[in-house]
Amino acid sequence: MTTPDAEPADHPGYVPTPPPRPEPTPAPKGPTRTPLYEAMNAERYARQTLIKAIEKVTDTTLICYVASHPQIDRTDVVGMVDLLHNITPGTAIDLLLHSPGGNIDAAEKLIQLIRKRAGSSPVRVIVPDYAKSAATLIALGANTIVMSDSSELGAIDPQVDLPDSNGHMQQLSAQSYLDAFHLHAERLKDKPDDPVARLMLGKMEPATVRKLERMIKRSRSIAEALLGQVMINDDARATEIANQLSDTKKWHSHGQMISHETARGLGLNVTYLAPHDELWAMYWRLFCLQLWSTTGKAKLFESSWASLAMS
């Protein structure tokens, strides 16, 4: 059946639909990325191309952990294991690290996974912006920390969420809480009828005090152990550095910046790269690309062969 304006099959201008060819159209020589898939992942491919370029310069495998807001936790182990999946044991590893901190036990496990894969080969931690608190602990497990003018580490004194007088949760320094406890305890010892000391101690639970004391001891012991593995060969010196990094009298706030100069002054093994150093410029460009791609609570685990955005 034809429509009124359709041309008949025998009309001179009619072009019939060609029949299917008996043989298939030529196929590509091998599997390739489809154009749409490549377009959807163009930013990731650009970052991974840059990672490969950095690896050619350093002759070292580079893996990245970038998280601006989410804290280090136990689920990060899965992402790290994936990054290490294709790395041959005994390979030197660079870790580009950006994190506000988090769970100290998880941080210890992450750096231990990297160290076990590297074996006796060196591990470097590159800090483009900040690696604070538990992330600083990760850096302490490296042979060397690579820093520039924009880089900062942080104090390792544990932070805890405790209710205030109105029952609202607030984040406090565990050491500051203990300092206040011991201050009022001493005052009450010297003056048993001190009303302020009695009032303040009445708000502090002994169980909480004991818990915080264990947390502080645990943080320092992790720092000492990590430093003693490769960066600092002297146990006494490792203990001194760990104590300084957790000293709330030295650092007036938990977020206080520990620059490359200060870190080196503490005794840490720091490699400084100037902002316009060619290698640092590559690190910074990669970091900016990764930072732009992570939104909200996403954490980016990335290497030249894997790219995982986890939340």
Side-chain angles (χ1 to χ4, degrees):
M1 181 178 179
T2 60
T3 57
D5 57 348
E7 297 178 332
D10 57 354
H11 191 279
Y14 175 74
V15 179
T17 301
R21 299 178 60 175
E23 68 279 356
T25 55
K29 295 181 179 180
T32 61
R33 300 168 183 160
T34 66
L36 180 57
Y37 184 83
E38 186 168 10
M40 293 171 64
N41 293 275
E43 292 183 0
R44 171 168 69 89
Y45 293 140
R47 297 194 303 269
Q48 290 179 310
T49 297
L50 182 52
I51 290 174
K52 291 176 183 177
I54 292 172
E55 290 176 334
K56 286 184 178 180
V57 174
T58 62
D59 195 28
T60 304
T61 297
L62 175 62
I63 59 177
C64 309
Y65 175 102
V66 175
S68 294
H69 302 294
Q71 298 205 337
I72 296 168
D73 59 37
R74 297 288 296 183
T75 60
D76 293 338
V77 171
V78 178
M80 185 59 67
V81 169
D82 228 51
L83 289 186
L84 298 173
H85 181 75
N86 288 322
I87 297 180
T88 303
T91 299
I93 299 174
D94 283 347
L95 169 66
L96 188 147
L97 177 63
H98 177 68
S99 168
N103 185 292
I104 61 175
D105 296 310
E108 180 188 32
K109 187 167 184 178
L110 292 177
I111 187 59
Q112 293 290 23
L113 285 169
I114 295 171
R115 288 233 63 99
K116 287 179 181 178
R117 185 54 55 97
S120 58
S121 296
V123 171
R124 297 190 305 175
V125 168
I126 298 102
V127 183
D129 187 356
Y130 57 78
K132 312 288 278 186
S133 194
T136 294
L137 287 177
I138 292 177
L140 299 183
N143 296 67
T144 307
I145 307 171
V146 180
M147 303 178 71
S148 187
D149 294 352
S150 60
S151 310
E152 61 177 286
L153 303 177
I156 61 171
D157 61 306
Q159 303 295 291
V160 293
D161 291 324
L162 293 174
D164 59 18
S165 57
N166 296 318
H168 301 137
M169 299 302 293
Q170 58 180 341
Q171 191 172 71
L172 298 173
S173 161
Q175 186 61 57
S176 295
Y177 186 96
L178 292 179
D179 290 344
F181 173 81
H182 293 303
L183 172 65
H184 294 303
E186 286 297 320
R187 285 181 176 176
L188 196 61
K189 182 179 178 181
D190 296 336
K191 190 178 180 181
D193 58 346
D194 187 323
V196 176
R198 283 182 174 277
L199 176 64
M200 296 305 296
L201 285 177
K203 296 180 179 181
M204 296 179 170
E205 297 182 2
T208 299
V209 172
R210 287 194 294 271
K211 177 183 177 180
L212 299 185
E213 288 174 340
R214 289 194 296 269
M215 288 177 63
I216 292 171
K217 183 177 180 180
R218 173 68 175 143
S219 178
R220 288 177 181 171
S221 66
I222 291 175
E224 290 175 28
L226 290 174
L227 284 167
Q229 284 185 2
V230 286
M231 189 181 293
I232 307 296
N233 294 323
D234 187 321
D235 290 344
R237 183 63 179 145
T239 299
E240 181 184 350
I241 294 173
N243 288 338
Q244 288 192 68
L245 285 171
S246 58
D247 187 357
T248 55
K249 295 179 181 178
K250 187 178 185 69
W251 317 110
H252 294 171
S253 72
H254 186 67
Q256 185 173 339
M257 173 181 177
I258 297 179
S259 65
H260 64 89
E261 297 99 335
T262 304
R264 185 174 288 162
L266 291 172
L268 299 178
N269 188 8
V270 174
T271 297
Y272 172 74
L273 295 180
H276 298 295
D277 178 274
E278 290 185 9
L279 178 57
W280 184 260
M282 296 176 76
Y283 284 136
W284 186 256
R285 180 166 176 260
L286 173 62
F287 167 65
C288 289
L289 291 171
Q290 292 172 328
L291 191 66
W292 183 257
S293 71
T294 57
T295 57
K297 296 183 177 180
K299 302 174 183 178
L300 183 64
F301 296 81
E302 195 160 63
S303 66
S304 62
W305 59 85
S307 182
L308 308 168
M310 302 173 62
S311 51

